[in-house]
Amino acid sequence: MGILKTEPARTRPDLLAVPTVAALDAWGEGADEVLVAPIDPTLADTAAFCEAYEVGLDVSANCVVVSGKREGVTRYAACVILATTRADVNGVVRRMLDVRKASFAPMAEAVELTGMEYGGITPIGLPEGWPILVDARVAGTPYVIIGSGVRQSKIALPGPALGGLPGAQVVDGLAKSVDTVARET
């Protein structure tokens, strides 16, 4: 976990978004594995964070909000992928949302709907009913670092715990490695 100074997340609600605190309270014993660490909010973006806190991209996960429409209704999902990968938005994600076209949700919309800060959105505490699609590589990582809902901290938890969140589904092939994406373009 690099040089992060972690402590149990439930003891530091001041470092979490309000929806994240509520989700941890509802989670029960699973929340005991969730740690939080304060960070410089100007370093919340993945590349800057990993460099400053000596965290490998292979254990840093991103939560991206994706949307698409079907019959005039917008459908949302959260995709949890490693920083070394890119979500297959118009392949796997589009099919799972059952929409014609999927794209990253606009920043203002994602922030408003989640009650979290952009650059800190986490799958812990998302709106009820949203599917949480967790790439199998994330679920197979012993510990991952992800947003906390705010830019001033990061959460550390076992990768398999992300697959156990309410509404979560572990998906093989949800993301492609950055090297694969570069070769395809």
Side-chain angles (χ1 to χ4, degrees):
M1 288 190 269
I3 59 170
L4 291 174
K5 294 183 179 14
T6 61
E7 52 195 302
R10 295 204 313 196
T11 66
R12 293 297 309 267
D14 59 306
L15 292 177
L16 305 168
V18 171
T20 307
V21 172
L24 287 173
D25 288 344
W27 196 354
E29 287 183 33
D32 294 339
E33 296 181 296
V34 181
L35 305 173
V36 67
I39 66 164
D40 178 339
T42 66
L43 299 172
D45 294 331
T46 304
F49 163 76
C50 287
E51 184 177 336
Y53 291 93
E54 301 174 16
V55 172
L57 290 170
D58 60 332
V59 296
S60 181
N62 292 317
C63 179
V64 294
V65 177
V66 178
S67 65
K69 284 189 177 182
R70 174 113 182 158
E71 299 172 355
V73 176
T74 303
R75 299 175 181 192
Y76 295 93
C79 299
V80 183
I81 59 173
L82 291 175
T84 55
T85 65
R86 299 284 182 256
D88 185 4
V89 174
N90 271 304
V92 175
V93 177
R94 178 188 57 78
R95 287 189 297 276
M96 294 193 80
L97 277 176
D98 192 26
V99 295
R100 292 191 72 172
K101 182 180 181 214
S103 58
F104 296 108
M107 176 181 59
E109 193 173 298
V111 167
E112 181 182 343
L113 293 172
T114 64
M116 299 178 195
E117 295 177 5
Y118 186 74
I121 293 176
T122 184
I124 302 170
L126 290 173
E128 192 172 322
W130 280 21
I132 301 170
L133 310 177
V134 180
D135 186 68
R137 287 176 271 204
V138 173
T141 303
Y143 254 84
V144 294
I145 310 297
I146 195 157
S148 63
V150 295
R151 292 181 62 88
Q152 70 188 31
S153 64
K154 293 285 185 180
I155 285 176
L157 76 163
L162 288 169
L165 287 169
Q169 181 178 353
V170 176
V171 181
D172 284 321
L174 176 66
K176 296 180 180 184
S177 72
V178 173
D179 293 340
T180 302
V181 172
R183 283 194 303 270
E184 290 176 355
T185 57

